[in-house]
Amino acid sequence: MNCEDIAEKWKIINDSVQPTVRRLVTLDDLKEQQQQAVLVWLDICGVSKNNDGDFIPSKIREDNACSNGMIICGTAGTGKSYAIDAMVYELLRRLEEKGITGKSVLVMAPTGKAALQAGGYTLQSKEGLSIATTEEKLGERMKGNTLLQLQKRCENIVAVIIDEYSMVPGAHISQVDERLQQGFKNDKPFGGIPIALCGDPGQLPPVIGLSLWVKRTKSGIPITGLALKGYNLYRSISNVMKLTDVLRQGGYFMELLLRIRDGLSTTEDWEFLMNHCAEQNMSEERIMEFLSDDTMYLFTTNADNNTHNMNQIQQINEKICLIQAEHDRPSSKGRSTEGARKLSVNLYLSKKSKVMLLWNINISLGLVNGSTGHVIGFIYKEGQKAPDLPYSIIIHFDDYKGLPFFSSIGCKQYRNISEDPEIVEYVLISPPDIKDKWVPILVSEFKWGESVNDDANHSRKQFPICLAWALTVWKSQGMTIKGLVKFLLGEREKEHGLTYVGMSRVLTHEQISIGAGCSLERLTTKISSGSKLKVRLIEDVRLNVLYEACKEFYFSN
């Protein structure tokens, strides 16, 4: 198959299915707690309905300094992502019922992985709010054409949602407030637009800066400036809803994870993990299962993560190709991978290497952020070869749901059963070919400017994939991993929430190995003695008080 064939196939396949960037989740798809959170959100957005389906005025809380703000907090696996999808869908649907069309909800997150998991953008991106990544630029206001462009975008934005807010520092929330005030020409908090902060304070904190609920530095000095402004904005939000029903795990393992989160692990918890998840108590057959190519390793450092991925690719015994990104100019190579929406300067790949998609290509086709597969081969334009950028990388995705790129359609294998001439609906009429799961992934492009007020005159072209035998715990936050996971805890809790986030990615304890195991102290005192944990537990109490008051206000009758 040549480049022209691939382009034509993509057109046919994209035309056969409606591309989506977000799951369509309705209120009826949700559990009761999720429904209540979404209903509060819809009230804040001014689209509440009564039991007869008629629109009614929003309720007004006199004790709420930031009436357009809301916090939705829930531990890992409580369905926050589904709630966000319903918040977006139900709001836009109800606005359409009122005759308001063409609107959007701006969904953002602090990191590329979390943003893509939420179906949104990073706070730092142009598509987000261009929040500065360096301290010296954090106070920079938009002006000129950049401000006009933001204000033009805001004409269609009706609400903002920030996911994984535990990783957002106060200074960034302060700048979100300023951007929205500029964009909507409104000096009220967050420009007067509905905004929801979603996440779990018990998970990982910001890489740089302090958590929103922290008012003193590590050395005990009170925060000032943008950090203090962000802290006060966060504290001004009284509408709080909590998701406490864990949907991802169950039984003793779920209870164990919640105790790890709060620094309450017991000797029985440690014994449970050692007996079920440590290699010393596994059968030889079980140990071999975790040596499978499909096992995901979670590491606590980038160095360990990168080393493991490179070791794995070298063991394949296939030629390793260096794939270099294309840039508009040499200086653009200095842009970090995180700053280029996860597009890296250099990719090392080979046939059979395990890779993961970093962007949502097409949710309807099953090509989503986090989808894993294996490289089949590379297609270059005529006269090109490595390290040039290929035209396409063919990857086998088990979860691919679309029509086949490399198998014939309409002969012996598929038949169109639709009676509507405008709808194509193929069904399989013979055993599938393994090539049905082969997908030629194309190059993606990310553009940016020198500063917040510059046009996007820099660019990077690269494939939105990475080697996927291992991830750091930070990159795994927000993910649900359905396969086997090997998580090496290390000797200490390097960051608040680290053990909890790593272990709560799986559905059951049977999916996880902790290698040689850990000491009792590693699971108990080395977590419970953390200074950040103590401050966060106080914040949990505050949020719970606000949650009870919010629930009483909205659902007491």
Side-chain angles (χ1 to χ4, degrees):
M1 182 179 286
N2 58 34
C3 301
E4 291 75 18
D5 292 335
I6 290 175
E8 181 62 25
K9 281 277 191 174
W10 265 115
K11 184 178 185 306
I12 292 172
I13 290 173
N14 279 329
D15 287 346
S16 72
V17 65
Q18 179 63 43
T20 57
V21 294
R22 180 175 301 283
R23 296 169 296 195
L24 297 182
V25 181
T26 70
L27 272 171
D28 292 337
D29 297 323
L30 304 177
K31 302 291 185 182
E32 183 180 4
Q33 283 188 334
Q34 295 169 311
Q35 288 179 343
Q36 289 185 342
V38 175
L39 288 172
V40 172
W41 166 251
L42 295 174
D43 186 81
I44 292 171
C45 294
V47 289
S48 276
K49 289 183 175 183
N50 60 23
N51 292 334
D52 296 325
D54 300 320
F55 286 105
I56 57 176
S58 297
K59 294 186 176 184
I60 299 175
R61 292 186 63 184
E62 296 180 357
D63 62 339
N64 199 346
C66 182
S67 59
N68 56 306
M70 178 182 185
I71 297 171
I72 300 178
C73 49
T75 57
T78 51
K80 295 185 293 295
S81 295
Y82 269 86
I84 289 174
D85 289 335
M87 289 162 69
V88 174
Y89 174 76
E90 291 288 352
L91 172 56
L92 298 181
R93 184 177 66 83
R94 293 189 180 195
L95 288 174
E96 288 178 356
E97 289 180 26
K98 288 188 167 189
I100 303 172
T101 60
K103 301 301 181 179
S104 64
V105 177
L106 178 57
V107 180
M108 298 178 290
T111 67
K113 191 71 177 175
L116 292 166
Q117 197 76 17
Y121 303 98
T122 61
L123 291 165
Q124 299 85 358
S125 67
K126 286 277 187 181
E127 296 86 353
L129 287 174
S130 300
I131 303 303
T133 55
T134 57
E135 187 173 348
E136 61 271 16
K137 293 184 178 181
L138 267 174
E140 188 177 2
R141 290 176 62 85
M142 283 189 171
K143 58 186 178 181
N145 287 335
T146 304
L147 177 56
L148 292 175
Q149 290 170 8
L150 173 64
Q151 291 171 341
K152 183 66 176 177
R153 284 177 60 207
C154 287
E155 291 177 3
N156 294 323
I157 295 173
V158 293
V160 172
I161 298 173
I162 299 178
D163 195 19
E164 302 293 353
Y165 84 85
S166 74
M167 302 176 79
V168 182
H172 287 190
I173 287 295
S174 174
Q175 194 164 43
V176 167
D177 172 61
E178 183 178 87
R179 291 280 190 268
L180 294 177
Q181 287 179 339
Q182 285 190 283
F184 288 95
K185 304 175 187 177
N186 188 325
D187 290 335
K188 292 182 179 179
F190 302 107
I193 190 171
I195 183 170
L197 306 181
C198 304
D200 176 13
Q203 297 192 39
L204 291 163
V207 176
I208 299 175
L210 299 174
S211 299
L212 287 167
W213 52 87
V214 176
K215 61 182 179 180
R216 292 182 179 274
T217 66
K218 189 175 181 179
S219 57
I221 300 173
I223 58 175
T224 58
L226 294 177
L228 179 59
K229 180 185 174 184
Y231 171 85
N232 289 330
L233 280 165
Y234 173 70
R235 298 274 296 195
S236 71
I237 300 174
S238 298
N239 287 320
V240 175
M241 293 299 291
K242 294 186 71 174
L243 304 179
T244 58
D245 295 336
V246 179
L247 309 175
R248 185 181 295 163
Q249 302 94 7
Y252 186 85
F253 185 57
M254 175 195 71
E255 297 168 359
L256 175 150
L257 291 175
L258 294 176
R259 285 191 290 271
I260 289 176
R261 176 188 183 273
D262 294 339
L264 300 174
S265 296
T266 65
T267 301
E268 290 72 24
D269 293 336
W270 174 72
E271 291 174 345
F272 180 90
L273 288 177
M274 292 296 292
N275 289 333
H276 293 90
C277 304
E279 290 180 352
Q280 65 195 54
N281 293 312
M282 290 182 183
S283 66
E284 188 172 329
E285 180 181 2
R286 183 72 173 143
I287 292 173
M288 292 301 295
E289 289 180 7
F290 282 95
L291 296 178
S292 164
D293 185 58
D294 293 327
T295 297
M296 175 67 72
Y297 278 67
L298 292 182
F299 289 103
T300 59
T301 68
N302 283 317
D304 289 341
N305 176 75
N306 296 336
T307 297
H308 181 78
N309 277 327
M310 291 308 298
N311 286 341
Q312 291 297 111
I313 195 173
Q314 290 170 7
Q315 292 177 20
I316 293 176
N317 200 27
E318 292 278 352
K319 182 179 179 180
I320 298 175
C321 296
L322 167 61
I323 298 175
Q324 296 179 328
E326 290 182 359
H327 296 88
D328 63 295
R329 67 195 73 180
S331 62
S332 296
K333 292 182 179 180
R335 183 83 169 187
S336 69
T337 299
E338 189 70 31
R341 205 180 176 211
K342 309 307 292 179
L343 298 182
S344 60
V345 174
N346 295 319
L347 271 177
Y348 292 93
L349 297 175
S350 72
K351 292 181 179 179
K352 302 180 183 178
S353 57
K354 184 179 180 180
V355 294
M356 176 184 292
L357 273 179
L358 298 174
W359 290 23
N360 287 334
I361 304 299
N362 190 309
I363 291 178
S364 298
L365 297 176
L367 301 175
V368 299
N369 169 44
S371 295
T372 57
H374 291 84
V375 174
I376 301 299
F378 307 88
I379 296 178
Y380 288 88
K381 291 182 178 179
E382 187 175 352
Q384 293 185 328
K385 60 181 181 180
D388 295 331
L389 203 60
Y391 177 77
S392 174
I393 299 176
I394 303 171
I395 302 173
H396 177 108
F397 289 104
D398 285 330
D399 294 332
Y400 176 64
K401 302 174 184 176
L403 300 176
F405 283 89
F406 296 92
S407 300
S408 60
I409 303 173
C411 298
K412 295 180 180 180
Q413 204 164 13
Y414 287 86
R415 182 173 66 229
N416 181 12
I417 63 171
S418 174
E419 296 179 359
D420 187 333
E422 296 184 0
I423 297 177
V424 177
E425 186 177 357
Y426 286 102
V427 294
L428 185 67
I429 57 176
S430 66
D433 188 326
I434 190 173
K435 291 183 181 179
D436 288 355
K437 301 293 186 179
W438 290 10
V439 180
I441 296 298
L442 303 177
V443 169
S444 296
E445 183 177 18
F446 177 79
K447 295 182 178 181
W448 70 92
E450 290 283 359
S451 72
V452 65
N453 292 306
D454 288 337
D455 293 330
N457 52 7
H458 291 268
S459 68
R460 176 177 299 169
K461 294 180 179 179
Q462 182 59 281
F463 291 90
I465 59 177
C466 67
L467 292 175
W469 287 284
L471 290 173
T472 63
V473 178
W474 283 263
K475 289 180 180 177
S476 75
Q477 181 158 313
M479 293 179 65
T480 298
I481 302 176
K482 297 181 179 179
L484 297 180
V485 173
K486 192 161 187 178
F487 179 28
L488 306 179
L489 282 69
E491 295 183 358
R492 61 187 181 89
E493 186 82 337
K494 294 182 178 180
E495 185 54 275
H496 167 268
L498 184 69
T499 301
Y500 173 63
V501 170
M503 300 201 71
S504 60
R505 299 309 93 200
V506 299
L507 304 176
T508 75
H509 69 273
E510 295 173 343
Q511 290 176 250
I512 197 164
S513 165
I514 56 174
C518 65
S519 66
L520 173 61
E521 291 74 19
R522 172 63 183 85
L523 200 68
T524 54
T525 56
K526 290 189 177 182
I527 295 177
S528 62
S529 61
S531 58
K532 292 182 181 180
L533 173 64
K534 295 173 183 177
V535 177
R536 194 268 297 166
L537 290 174
I538 294 173
E539 172 63 7
D540 278 355
V541 172
R542 187 186 77 90
L543 290 172
N544 196 56
V545 171
L546 292 175
Y547 164 58
E548 293 297 336
C550 186
K551 189 169 62 169
E552 174 73 17
F553 179 79
Y554 280 100
F555 304 107
S556 59
N557 296 329

